[in-house]
Amino acid sequence: MRIQTRQPREILVIVPARNESLNISACIEGLTRQTYPSGKRVVRIVDDHSNDDTAQIARAAASPHAGFSVVASPPLPPRWVGKCHACWVGATRDIDDPPEWLCFIDADVVAEPELLAAALQHAEAQSVDLLSLAPKQILGTWTERLVLPCGLYCLSFCQDFERLRTDECRDTSVTGQFLLVRAEAYYAVGGHRAVSDAICEDLALARQFKQHGRRIALFGGRELLSSRMYRDWSSMKIGLAKNLVETFGGSCARPGLHLALSSLPGLLSPYRSWTHGDVLEGRHLPVAHSVLRLPVREPPSDFISRARAFSLFRFGTDSCFHLDIHSAL
């Protein structure tokens, strides 16, 4: 089924990319196949000082397509984090007539053809200023299959999504892999410049929106976009630590989480054979949970059923934290 907004809006898609040579081609290809009118969308890939061939691959993939461009992020100013700066550059450089919507997509995301059309239609129907969609997560290596589901479910358990949805709560929850924002609201709250030193820039930006009275929504988008976030333990450790530190106490939690995550490969290696099955069947996650020793609202015996119940945000009938397991062994 093709989904289109009744009156197509101008949209600028921004893809910050740093050392994404394995992902950027598929990301751009997905954006070239969008059903959203090509005359109403511009795609800008911002190379964030990659030291691999991300920029060259991006230019080769983007050059045949009208409205696609690759720009280099300038030197990082003081008190700026790289991704924040790349997003801000993409949203402000050479903008004479600002679009109505800005869409920030991570370079490891692959978009289905209906993504932009469906997301725009839903954002306008719900009158939200920031719409975040959680991708279907693709897992390959045994480490990904053991650790990442546990990390995602821990994040789900330790956040009260019903409370976060209320206007009274000052906090919120989003995923930075896909953020669709009204341009007027983005510039009014200061955009990424207002959170320039934030490590979890997606959450910081969403909090900025909410503090200014803007509406936010998080939904699962498993039929619209997919992502393989990590391909090795080193990148997984950094990514999980960034998000778990934010969830479990800020900088005070960083040393303990770093130690726990650094120890996981050795602790979990005896269970490598488990990954030939589906790690979401329920018999494996309690073990990973016991190794992490992270608090949850329910005992491990009820881990899977309660995790499903905590998937409160839905796009259609899809769970926000659905995982597809693809073996690369």
Side-chain angles (χ1 to χ4, degrees), residues 138-151 228 230 236 268 271-280 284-285 288 323-329:
I138 308 299
L139 311 181
T141 65
W142 73 273
T143 307
E144 294 169 73
R145 292 157 63 86
L146 276 172
V147 176
L148 196 54
C150 182
R228 185 177 179 185
Y230 311 114
M236 187 186 300
L268 295 179
Y271 309 105
R272 179 170 181 170
S273 60
W274 291 358
T275 61
H276 291 286
D278 184 349
V279 299
L280 294 183
H284 308 324
L285 280 177
L323 297 168
D324 269 13
I325 312 300
H326 289 247
S327 177
L329 302 177

Side-chain angles (χ1 to χ4, degrees), residues 18-254:
R18 177 176 173 82
N19 296 336
E20 294 285 357
S21 59
L22 295 177
N23 298 314
I24 193 64
S25 182
C27 178
I28 293 174
E29 180 182 356
L31 293 173
T32 65
R33 296 184 290 110
Q34 293 300 296
T35 60
Y36 200 76
S38 58
K40 293 292 185 177
R41 55 181 164 88
V42 173
V43 178
R44 181 174 290 175
I45 298 93
V46 183
D47 178 48
D48 182 22
H49 305 282
S50 298
N51 50 33
D52 61 6
D53 53 356
T54 294
Q56 296 91 317
I57 295 174
R59 290 190 180 96
S63 59
H65 303 283
F68 282 68
S69 63
V70 180
V71 300
S73 183
L76 194 64
R79 296 181 296 281
W80 277 82
V81 173
K83 186 178 179 181
C84 277
H85 190 233
C87 289
W88 182 247
V89 167
T92 58
R93 174 177 286 186
D94 299 328
I95 301 292
D96 296 325
D97 185 17
E100 294 182 70
W101 290 89
L102 301 172
C103 183
F104 299 94
I105 300 180
D106 279 2
D108 57 11
V109 169
V110 178
E112 295 300 319
E114 307 293 345
L115 173 61
L116 293 180
L120 258 295
Q121 183 185 61
H122 197 74
E124 293 188 331
Q126 297 293 319
S127 298
V128 298
D129 299 298
L130 186 155
L131 173 68
S132 180
L133 297 181
K136 174 175 63 179
Q137 299 295 338
I138 308 299
L139 311 181
T141 65
W142 73 273
T143 307
E144 294 169 73
R145 292 157 63 86
L146 276 172
V147 176
L148 196 54
C150 182
L152 290 174
Y153 279 125
C154 284
L155 289 172
S156 177
F157 265 89
C158 296
Q159 298 182 83
D160 187 344
F161 288 112
E162 287 286 10
R163 183 180 66 86
L164 293 175
R165 295 176 68 180
T166 64
D167 294 334
E168 292 74 20
C169 179
R170 298 187 59 177
D171 210 348
T172 187
S173 184
V174 295
T175 170
Q177 292 182 283
F178 181 94
L179 295 175
L180 177 67
V181 302
R182 292 184 191 271
E184 174 272 325
Y186 176 82
Y187 297 122
V189 305
H192 284 87
R193 182 173 59 183
V195 296
S196 61
D197 60 348
I199 300 299
C200 291
E201 81 297 327
D202 50 355
L203 187 55
L205 181 64
R207 286 170 176 164
Q208 189 78 0
F209 268 68
K210 195 164 188 179
Q211 289 168 10
H212 284 78
R214 302 291 183 161
R215 295 193 63 193
I216 298 171
L218 168 65
F219 293 91
R222 55 169 291 202
E223 292 187 354
L224 295 172
L225 64 167
S226 60
S227 172
R228 185 177 179 185
M229 292 191 292
Y230 311 114
R231 295 176 182 268
D232 55 60
W233 174 246
S234 177
S235 61
M236 187 186 300
K237 181 177 70 173
I238 294 171
L240 286 177
K242 181 181 78 169
N243 289 285
L244 291 174
V245 162
E246 186 69 33
T247 301
F248 296 113
S251 59
C252 295
R254 186 174 290 113

